[in-house]
Amino acid sequence: MNVASLNFQSWRGYLELMRPANIVTAWADILVGFAASGAGIILAQLINGEASFTILIPLAWLLLATTGLYGGGVVFNDVFDAELDAKERPNRAIPSGRVSRQNATLLGSILFAIGIIAAFQVSLVSGAIAILITLSCLLYNSLAKHHPFFGPLNMGLCRGSNLLLGVSALPAMIGERWYLALIPIFYIAAITAISQGEVHGGKKITGVLALLLIAIVLTAVLALGLLGDYAAIAALPFAVLLAIRVVPNFIKAAREPVAENIQNAVKIGILSLIVLDATVASGFAGLYYGLFILILLPFSMKLAKVFAVT
């Protein structure tokens, strides 16, 4: 094996640690938060030539921030799981020897630092949320992930906080839109709960719980229409698409909780975060904004064929 081949495998190993397909779903979180803050309307005006490009500056910083925060979180997932992966997933970057545990720790730390610094460029509130996400990720990876209740809750809090990071483009709106964090909390809790059996298989009761959480999410998304500034009719097509993508796979995993079914449900569930975000965002910023977010889905799916999602 020549040096060029070794370098390629090393760089691929670092990219695998960062889960590129998953990072795209984190961008969608920022975009839906951005829409919910009211800035999404301004972005629509920008597209129509009615607003200044300066609105894109905080959005760009927040997209960079979530790239660092999510990337750092999944890198540290593999750092903390290195010994377990050596037994269960020896093909991963660290146990396979393509990336050392020390270098992975350095990469994760750098990514977290980038995420926090980028967030502070928007506001103190954004920076504080970034720090909260970093601490929550480390807590999940080091302790909470192996707990059947606190693991899913902790991961859901990470994702909900990421959505609020998008809202922090206009910090004053955090107090008005905080409840939106509950939607990804329940959704990610469902995925995390069912994912606990993706190596050796799971339990039917876990699959049923995950389905219940998904049902709560779909109901909550449409119930937002009770708010005066949320158009549920614009969100409905995306909600239907979300249900079609997620529910059948979760039902299959609940009925037959074998590793293959669970892994497929988890993969579809993670990538469908983009559909969930498009659903919520369309209610706040209109159909075209939702479609704009949905464009990220094929991009994420393409990356998922090259790099592992879980």
Side-chain angles (χ1 to χ4, degrees):
M1 185 178 294
N2 59 38
V3 174
S5 178
L6 285 171
N7 286 337
F8 172 77
Q9 289 199 25
S10 179
W11 278 107
R12 180 183 171 84
Y14 286 112
L15 287 174
E16 286 178 11
L17 286 172
M18 293 174 62
R19 312 285 204 282
N22 302 38
I23 288 178
V24 176
T25 70
W27 294 348
D29 290 344
I30 297 299
L31 289 170
V32 69
F34 192 73
S37 73
I41 299 297
I42 302 175
L43 185 58
Q45 293 173 346
L46 173 64
I47 294 172
N48 293 327
E50 301 170 0
S52 169
F53 278 93
T54 55
I55 188 61
L56 296 181
I57 295 175
L59 177 59
W61 280 118
L62 291 174
L63 289 172
L64 176 60
T66 198
T67 299
L69 296 171
Y70 196 101
V74 291
V75 168
F76 270 103
N77 174 77
D78 284 18
V79 169
F80 282 103
D81 280 359
E83 295 178 1
L84 181 63
D85 286 343
K87 301 175 183 177
E88 296 183 346
R89 298 178 178 184
N91 60 322
R92 279 187 166 178
I94 296 176
S96 68
R98 287 174 292 136
V99 179
S100 70
R101 197 171 186 178
Q102 181 179 6
N103 285 347
T105 301
L106 178 61
L107 173 63
S109 301
I110 291 173
L111 288 169
F112 274 143
I114 290 173
I116 292 172
I117 292 170
F120 269 112
Q121 305 310 305
V122 178
S123 70
L124 291 177
V125 173
S126 303
I129 294 174
I131 292 174
L132 174 62
I133 292 173
T134 298
L135 295 176
S136 297
C137 286
L138 291 173
L139 175 62
Y140 174 79
N141 289 326
S142 60
L143 294 173
K145 74 162 63 174
H146 301 296
H147 193 281
F149 175 77
F150 290 109
L153 176 62
N154 191 163
M155 178 53 69
L157 286 171
C158 290
R159 204 79 197 211
S161 298
N162 195 48
L163 188 153
L164 292 182
L165 185 62
V167 178
S168 73
L170 294 176
M173 293 299 294
I174 293 287
E176 294 187 31
R177 302 298 191 207
W178 63 268
Y179 58 87
L180 291 176
L182 296 176
I183 294 174
I185 285 175
F186 277 102
Y187 185 83
I188 290 298
I191 295 175
T192 307
I194 204 169
S195 72
Q196 293 175 357
E198 65 178 327
V199 176
H200 302 295
K203 301 177 181 178
K204 287 188 176 181
I205 186 62
T206 305
V208 172
L209 173 61
L211 276 170
L212 176 61
L213 291 171
I214 291 295
I216 291 173
V217 168
L218 290 170
T219 302
V221 166
L222 296 178
L224 287 174
L226 298 175
L227 300 175
D229 55 353
Y230 184 87
I233 190 66
L236 184 58
F238 299 97
V240 171
L241 175 61
L242 178 64
I244 291 173
R245 281 182 56 84
V246 174
V247 173
N249 289 284
F250 271 63
I251 290 177
K252 185 176 182 179
R255 286 179 174 174
E256 301 176 56
V258 296
E260 182 180 357
N261 290 344
I262 291 174
Q263 288 170 6
N264 188 56
V266 170
K267 180 179 179 179
I268 294 296
I270 291 174
L271 297 181
S272 294
L273 269 161
I274 294 173
V275 184
L276 173 63
D277 287 336
T279 304
V280 178
S282 63
F284 284 106
L287 178 65
Y288 291 116
Y289 191 95
L291 290 173
F292 173 71
I293 293 179
L294 197 61
I295 291 173
L296 295 175
L297 181 59
F299 181 41
S300 183
M301 292 173 65
K302 188 72 174 179
L303 287 171
K305 293 181 180 180
V306 181
F307 301 100
V309 173
T310 63

